[in-house]
Amino acid sequence: MNGADVDTGGGVGGTGVAVIADGHDRGGSPGRGPGRGRHGAGGRGRLMAGLRRRLVKRRIRIRRTRGRRLRRALVVLLALLANLVGAAVVAYHLTKIPEPHPETAMQSTVFVDDHGDYLGRRGPVDRQEIPLSQVPRHVQDAVIAAENRSFRTDTGVSPRAIARAAWATVSGGDRQGGSTITQQYVKNALLSPEQTLSRKAREALISIKLDRTRSKDEILQGYLNTVYFGRGAAGIQSAARNYFGVDAKDLTVSQGAALASVINIPSYYEKAGSDPKVTAKLVDRWEWVLDAMAHSGAITSAQRAGARFPAFRFYPPGDTDGQRQYLIDAAASEAADRLGITEDQLARGGYTVRTTFDLTAQDATAELAADGTEKKTGEKTGEKTAEEKAADAKAGGKKRAEVKTTGDVRVHTAVVALVPGDGAVRVLYGGADYSSQPFNDARDGAVEAGTALQPFSGMKLLAPLTDLTRTAAPTPLRLASAYATAAAHGVYATPYTVAKITRAGRTLYEAHPRTRTAMTRADAGMVAKLLYGRLDAAPATRTGAAGLRTLWQTTYDEHLTLTVALFAEHPAKGKKAALPAPLPYTAGSRSLSVSEGVWSKIVGTAEGHDPAAEPNPGLPTGQTKPILATR
């Protein structure tokens, strides 16, 4: 039986039943015998006893070696930690704070009028850098409340935000924010915006180093000058202008909180003020920011209670191609010359150019003198109105209604207003639309003078008016300068359009009248006598013309000289060049309307001020200060 023990003892009924020692009954089911076999009750008991013995031995062994294993694990952990710390220390010392991106360093140059009203800008990026001292404390606190409330006390990083962002990157989840202001500045101005673990780690190292080597004010200044606010504005100064039309230093508590609220999603919130849904959402965030400011003590409870959501400028803003580019062209050219740089360098330099222009008067001029195309298909046969007859008589009595004009006629109007004895140009209207005609008729256009030069005939003129009477077609600006010289008793003042240039709060250039004697006082008096004699009232007016092709009208007193020039042409068609054309019959009334309207608009801005009360060192002895002389 294969060596198995067999019991042949008697069984039931004397019959012997063989039982194999391995616990299997040959005639029945395995393991059925009571207390028999290795897997019976006795076998299981022995198995359990063996397991218990082994467990006891293992517990004893664990107790004996626990301390040794813990010590080993601790050594490994400390070694790993030491390696990580060492690597971090090495990485920290090897990490250099990079220079800002070139595009971050770029700034735009802003042009404002004589009153400080925004005129336009030049440059690739709408950004102007300003010192933190020009950002009100409540604006700084609003940004901190909106973006990083622990900014003043943290180490430059947020470990929780870094871990959250790292996990999102590894797991493929949504991008996570929550970075500190320092980290945002590093990301926006010093590093690329890519979302990788290595860049995030470098961002953290640079942020820590920046926080340890720079003051909080320096970091906040860099952040406020580079963070994007929407509407194309990078930095708080451009944002203040684009959203509210003011400088950053003039932002109110409500305006500052609104701009701070925009930073979160600038491309969405930039439409606030024109989109009701966007505005409502921004109002909620604005209130959240103000509540945080009040809670931290940045503003008082009275300021919080009195805060009202500010009115935003319309968006999208209108372009400046229509009129303002003429002014910016002239001022940019002059400003670059004064600083000794190129116009491209000026555009990227972050300057503020305060011009001599009066934007209100310029806009009024544009309304009164907008160039247009007048179609004439035959002779004018209708009778003039009494108003038209009076205007023609006042403008020189030309019989323009009898002129036959066929085809399209484009009437050009150029307007120049400047201050006698000073040279400050207040209005420079050179065309209705810069995008269709970038050429400035007022500054660069040669317009036939005709009888407009008669007052200067036979007069001894000195430089720079020496050859004036020999110039058949002067520019409107030059002719206006000649009449301004007569108004200033013979003192010629070089026309200028730039009053002041500043950068980051420092004045780099300030204009002063450049004058010289260009005609004798007696000759200037003769011109004045001729003009006043014809009109027999102040201000003096002189109307001149070159046939029916041009019409000039100059009005002046010792405070202001205003010249209006009109000429017409048949516009160019295909390869056919533009050709001179007779002015339409409405030219006289149009010239008079522009002249009187602009004159009253400019002089009206004096608001009752008596210019005689203030002497002007740029004018001859005894002459009063021009109403709109450079402030």
Side-chain angles (χ1 to χ4, degrees), residues 323 326-327 357 361-362 364-371 412-418 425-432 440-443 447 475-477 480 551-554 560-567 590-591 593-599 602:
Q323 261 304 300
Y326 291 111
L327 308 183
F357 302 121
Q362 182 77 25
T365 304
E367 293 179 10
L368 291 166
D371 292 349
H412 292 254
T413 305
V415 182
V416 177
L418 50 80
V425 178
R426 300 305 183 194
V427 172
L428 190 66
Y429 181 88
N440 191 323
D441 286 329
R443 185 180 67 162
V447 183
T475 67
L477 179 59
L551 180 62
W552 292 80
Q553 184 162 313
T554 297
L560 184 70
T561 296
L562 174 66
T563 294
V564 179
L566 276 72
F567 65 96
R590 183 181 203 175
S591 174
S593 173
V594 172
S595 182
E596 291 183 343
V598 176
W599 182 272
I602 296 178

Side-chain angles (χ1 to χ4, degrees), residues 77 158 172 186 201 230 241 249 275 285 306 314 374 407 457 465 526 568-569 573:
L77 183 60
S158 171
V186 170
R241 287 193 182 279
K249 62 183 177 61
D275 186 317
R285 183 167 176 81
F314 179 75
E374 300 186 16
S457 299
L465 300 179
M526 289 296 294
E569 67 177 10
K573 290 185 178 180

Side-chain angles (χ1 to χ4, degrees), residues 347-398:
R348 297 169 181 266
Y351 302 95
T352 295
V353 178
R354 191 183 190 96
T355 69
T356 62
F357 302 121
D358 183 331
L359 191 54
T360 301
Q362 182 77 25
D363 290 343
T365 304
E367 293 179 10
L368 291 166
D371 292 349
T373 299
E374 300 186 16
K375 291 185 178 181
K376 302 293 181 181
T377 56
E379 182 179 357
K380 170 69 178 180
T381 57
E383 287 294 323
K384 294 182 184 180
T385 64
E387 181 180 327
E388 289 172 346
K389 289 179 180 179
D392 275 349
K394 199 171 182 180
K398 295 295 179 181

Side-chain angles (χ1 to χ4, degrees), residues 125-278:
V125 179
D126 190 0
R127 189 180 82 86
Q128 278 198 303
E129 194 165 301
I130 58 173
L132 193 64
S133 60
Q134 292 186 18
V135 182
R137 181 65 185 225
H138 59 257
V139 177
Q140 300 176 34
D141 291 336
V143 172
I144 291 172
E147 293 297 305
N148 178 197
R149 296 177 185 179
S150 65
F151 170 73
R152 299 285 184 189
T153 57
D154 63 33
T155 60
V157 297
S158 171
R160 181 179 299 178
I162 292 175
R164 186 170 61 245
W167 173 251
T169 302
V170 172
S171 62
D174 294 335
R175 294 192 322 182
Q176 297 293 313
S179 298
T180 65
I181 282 177
T182 307
Q183 286 176 269
Q184 290 184 54
Y185 172 60
V186 170
K187 177 180 67 176
N188 295 335
L190 308 180
L191 295 177
S192 63
E194 59 182 342
Q195 296 293 316
T196 63
L197 286 175
S198 60
R199 192 208 58 80
K200 198 71 178 175
R202 190 163 178 242
E203 173 191 303
L205 286 171
I206 294 174
S207 298
I208 294 171
K209 196 161 192 174
L210 200 66
D211 188 78
R212 291 174 63 88
T213 58
R214 309 273 178 90
S215 69
K216 289 290 187 180
D217 281 352
E218 287 179 289
I219 295 170
L220 185 60
Q221 175 178 296
Y223 175 76
L224 288 174
N225 277 322
T226 55
V227 66
Y228 184 62
F229 285 88
R231 295 196 176 188
I236 189 70
Q237 174 71 352
S238 295
R241 287 193 182 279
N242 287 7
Y243 282 90
F244 302 113
V246 300
D247 288 325
K249 62 183 177 61
D250 298 321
L251 288 169
T252 65
V253 169
S254 293
Q255 290 171 337
L259 289 181
S261 303
V262 166
I263 296 174
N264 180 242
I265 321 175
S267 59
Y268 177 77
Y269 288 133
E270 68 182 2
K271 300 178 183 65
S274 59
D275 186 317
K277 182 179 179 181
V278 174

Side-chain angles (χ1 to χ4, degrees), residues 406-479:
T406 57
D408 291 346
V409 174
R410 180 175 176 81
V411 178
H412 292 254
T413 305
V415 182
V416 177
L418 50 80
V419 178
D422 182 286
V425 178
R426 300 305 183 194
V427 172
L428 190 66
Y429 181 88
D433 188 359
Y434 184 91
S435 61
S436 61
Q437 180 198 304
F439 183 82
N440 191 323
D441 286 329
R443 185 180 67 162
D444 306 313
V447 183
E448 283 186 278
T451 59
L453 287 175
Q454 279 184 352
F456 304 100
S457 299
M459 186 182 297
K460 184 179 180 181
L461 299 174
L462 304 177
L465 300 179
T466 306
D467 62 345
L468 177 65
T469 55
R470 297 192 299 273
T471 305
T475 67
L477 179 59
R478 190 175 188 211
L479 190 64

